[in-house]
Amino acid sequence: MVVYSFYIFDRHAECIYKKKWPSRPTSTGSRSQQANGLPDGPSQQKALSAEDDAKLVFGTIFSLRNMVRKLGGEDDRFISYRTGQYKLHYYETPTSLKFVMVTDTKTNNLRIVLHQIYVSLYVEFVVKNPLSPVEHPQGIGVNCEMFELGVEQFVNASLMS
């Protein structure tokens, strides 16, 4: 499995954490990559900035989540969607934090993995950290070295093996 990127959005639609992994060449040959780690499409002219990329990801999950709720009712949940080039996994916490991971298309559902990242890494290293702000105004994101190291180790050990 290949993980392209990971995002955390707060309840104010701000991207408070983003991490991108360099893609590994596949056996069918390497593809060119956008700045967000997704394979280039034929119409992709230039790479997006990191801020624009995060806004695009949030807009996508916001729209799809609302569409799922309108079509299926309040009990239905948006979990993931797949394109021909990547799969986006989504987990929303009770406090409206949104965890998003972009992987290759062969990956199974990662909702449980995103929940584990929230419970064992985010809560332990960010929420319980007295030096970490409760709110992240104006895009000031998570700045916790232990959390970043934990995410890196968790993804490398659990998902990229």
Side-chain angles (χ1 to χ4, degrees):
M1 167 180 19
V2 178
V3 176
Y4 297 125
S5 54
F6 173 65
Y7 301 90
I8 301 174
F9 297 96
D10 67 4
R11 61 184 172 170
H12 305 293
E14 294 285 340
C15 182
I16 60 172
Y17 183 79
K18 59 184 158 263
K19 170 76 175 153
K20 293 173 179 39
W21 286 269
S23 65
R24 296 181 289 178
T26 60
S27 59
T28 59
S30 62
R31 296 180 179 173
S32 60
Q33 301 287 319
Q34 296 178 20
N36 62 0
L38 302 178
D40 274 342
S43 64
Q44 184 70 22
Q45 297 295 327
K46 64 178 187 174
L48 297 172
S49 72
E51 184 178 323
D52 289 341
D53 182 42
K55 288 179 183 177
L56 183 63
V57 169
F58 183 82
T60 302
I61 61 170
F62 180 80
S63 299
L64 288 172
R65 185 190 64 181
N66 286 341
M67 183 180 70
V68 166
R69 285 186 179 160
K70 286 181 181 177
L71 292 176
E74 287 296 319
D75 293 338
D76 286 341
R77 304 238 181 232
F78 167 63
I79 297 172
S80 67
Y81 82 92
R82 181 188 326 229
T83 70
Q85 298 177 337
Y86 66 91
K87 185 172 182 181
L88 184 142
H89 307 269
Y90 175 74
Y91 174 73
E92 186 171 354
T93 68
T95 57
S96 296
L97 285 172
K98 295 150 187 73
F99 288 72
V100 179
M101 188 170 285
V102 181
T103 65
D104 64 344
T105 58
K106 298 173 189 152
T107 307
N108 291 329
N109 183 8
L110 294 181
R111 184 173 173 83
I112 294 172
V113 171
L114 293 173
H115 176 74
Q116 288 175 340
I117 291 172
Y118 169 64
V119 171
S120 62
L121 297 174
Y122 187 83
V123 170
E124 291 298 321
F125 296 126
V126 178
V127 174
K128 292 182 180 178
N129 183 353
L131 301 175
S132 180
V134 176
E135 294 289 329
H136 301 275
Q138 301 167 348
I140 297 172
V142 174
N143 189 14
C144 179
E145 188 176 328
M146 293 298 292
F147 174 73
E148 292 179 20
L149 183 62
V151 168
E152 183 74 29
Q153 289 176 347
F154 184 84
V155 168
N156 287 337
S158 301
L159 302 177
M160 292 186 151
S161 56

